[in-house]
């Protein structure tokens, strides 16, 4: 039982990181209609920027990494992604897949193909024992910080004018445009927000994983699985699905390591068989 509780707690950490990635992916697809296969590459960029900033200036400078990645995302949206709006989803999938390969090639050219160690801050290097649960201080900090980021994002989406515009635009972008709102500016901000969330997840995952080019591939598929399980466009669904995937994978790693990756696909299959729209997905009406 102690092993199960400890693995479940570690699964929460993994799940929260997946939630950050999946929420950014879900927001981007819901608003822009773009299947962004390069989302995992922005996750890896966040980890590499954190590594570089930490090596040069120390841990306090790492806070700059997510805004830098968000800025790169804004430039990418303005120069490339904007041309894909209204096109076939397959086109956006192919283009963003090529973008992911390009970013990974740049990462390999700049930092090399070998893994880079990123140790957690010294003040978070100890351990915490909560009854039968034994965790590192860094994992506890990741739990707390990720929960804060998700709560802030929820408050932003529900209680600010820009957040309400994003929610309305995900359902009917044409109506938002007709109301006189600068839709291209909104879309650019959405893509930058999604990239920034992926970068935050990359920064947090760096000390838990080895910072390597393969981080992109290891992040993008769980993100798609979580979006499918939770329901497209559902913030709460992404939360529930991300935590479920993290816990299931952690428990599988403990008792059946060979099936760790397959476990999340099995969970997705089970959920979609019972509820094709996902756990909290809804069917939206279209008005002609």
């Amino acid at each position: 039982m102690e092993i199960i509780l400890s693995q479940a707690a570690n699964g929460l950490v993994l799940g929260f990181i997946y939630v950050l990635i999946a929420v950014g992916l879900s927001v981007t697809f819901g608003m822009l209609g773009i299947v962004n296969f390069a989302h995992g590459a922005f996750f890896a960029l966040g980890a590499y920027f954190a590594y570089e900033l930490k090596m040069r200036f120390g841990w306090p400078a790492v806070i700059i990494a997510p805004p830098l990645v968000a800025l790169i995302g804004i430039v990418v949206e303005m120069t490339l992604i904007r041309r894909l709006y209204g096109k076939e989803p397959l086109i956006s999938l192919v283009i963003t897949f090529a973008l992911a390969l390009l970013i990974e090639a740049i990462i390999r050219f700049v930092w090399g193909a070998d893994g880079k160690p990123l140790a957690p801050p010294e003040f978070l290097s100890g351990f915490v024992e909560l009854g039968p649960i034994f965790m590192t201080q860094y994992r506890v900090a990741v739990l707390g910080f990720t929960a804060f980021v998700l709560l802030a994002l929820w408050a932003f989406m529900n209680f600010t004018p820009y957040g309400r515009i994003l929610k309305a635009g995900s359902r009917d972008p044409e109506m938002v445009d007709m109301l006189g709102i600068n839709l291209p500016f909104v879309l650019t901000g959405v893509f930058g927000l999604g990239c920034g969330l992926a970068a935050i997840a990359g920064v947090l995952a760096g000390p838990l994983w080895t910072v390597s080019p393969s981080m992109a591939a290891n992040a993008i598929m769980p993100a798609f699985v979580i979006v499918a399980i939770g329901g497209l466009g559902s913030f709460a669904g992404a939360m529930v699905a991300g935590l479920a995937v993290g816990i299931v994978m952690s428990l599988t790693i403990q008792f059946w390591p060979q099936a760790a990756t397959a476990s999340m696909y099995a969970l997705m299959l089970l959920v979609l068989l019972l509820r094709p729209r996902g756990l909290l997905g809804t069917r939206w009406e279209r008005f002609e």
Side-chain angles (χ1 to χ4, degrees):
M1 182 59 66
E2 292 181 0
I3 294 176
I4 292 176
L5 290 176
S6 295
Q7 284 299 110
N10 290 325
L12 287 178
V13 177
L14 180 63
F16 269 122
I17 291 175
Y18 283 158
V19 167
L20 279 179
I21 307 170
V23 165
L25 183 66
S26 182
V27 168
T28 301
F29 182 81
M31 182 70 180
L32 279 62
I34 298 295
V35 182
N36 184 17
F37 210 85
H39 201 69
F42 290 106
F43 167 83
L45 272 182
Y48 271 98
F49 281 3
Y51 167 79
E52 190 69 25
L53 289 167
K54 188 259 182 183
M55 294 297 294
R56 292 179 178 272
F57 308 106
W59 263 103
V62 169
I63 195 174
I64 305 174
L68 288 177
V69 176
L71 182 60
I72 292 174
I74 288 173
V75 173
V76 168
E77 192 278 338
M78 296 177 66
T79 57
L80 177 63
I81 302 299
R82 186 171 294 182
R83 305 172 187 270
L84 304 177
Y85 298 151
K87 302 289 177 53
E88 291 292 330
L90 181 61
I91 297 177
S92 65
L93 180 62
V94 172
I95 296 297
T96 55
F97 179 71
L99 177 62
L101 295 178
L102 174 62
I103 294 176
E104 183 175 338
I106 293 174
I107 287 175
R108 292 179 182 273
F109 176 78
V110 175
W111 287 284
D114 57 320
K116 306 293 183 184
L118 182 61
E122 293 185 1
F123 66 92
L124 294 175
S125 59
F127 293 88
V128 174
E129 187 174 357
L130 301 173
I133 300 175
F134 192 69
M135 298 178 64
T136 64
Q137 290 183 5
Y138 181 75
R139 288 178 181 269
V140 175
V142 169
L143 278 175
F145 182 76
T146 310
F148 168 77
V149 171
L150 292 172
L151 181 62
L153 179 63
W154 174 81
F156 169 78
M157 296 290 289
N158 288 277
F159 300 112
T160 66
Y162 190 78
R164 287 192 287 268
I165 290 172
L166 295 186
K167 294 177 68 175
S170 65
R171 294 192 59 173
D172 197 339
E174 292 80 7
M175 182 60 69
V176 171
D177 192 29
M178 290 176 62
L179 291 174
I181 297 170
N182 188 340
L183 189 59
F185 175 79
V186 173
L187 298 180
T188 301
V190 169
F191 195 82
L193 174 64
C195 294
L197 290 172
I200 293 175
V203 171
L204 296 176
L208 301 176
W209 306 355
T210 299
V211 180
S212 66
S214 62
M215 291 182 71
N218 294 335
I220 189 63
M221 291 314 298
F224 277 116
V225 168
I226 290 167
V227 170
I229 293 175
L232 185 61
S234 173
F235 182 86
M239 284 277 297
V240 175
L243 296 179
V245 167
I247 292 174
V248 167
M249 288 188 66
S250 292
L251 292 176
T252 308
I253 289 172
Q254 176 65 34
F255 298 105
W256 193 7
Q258 298 87 346
T261 302
S263 64
M264 67 176 180
Y265 297 113
L267 178 62
M268 179 180 68
L269 177 62
L270 176 63
V271 171
L272 295 184
L273 283 175
L274 299 176
R275 186 173 173 81
R277 295 196 301 272
L279 293 174
L280 299 177
T282 57
R283 182 179 296 168
W284 289 344
E285 298 283 344
R286 284 192 175 273
F287 299 94
E288 300 295 341

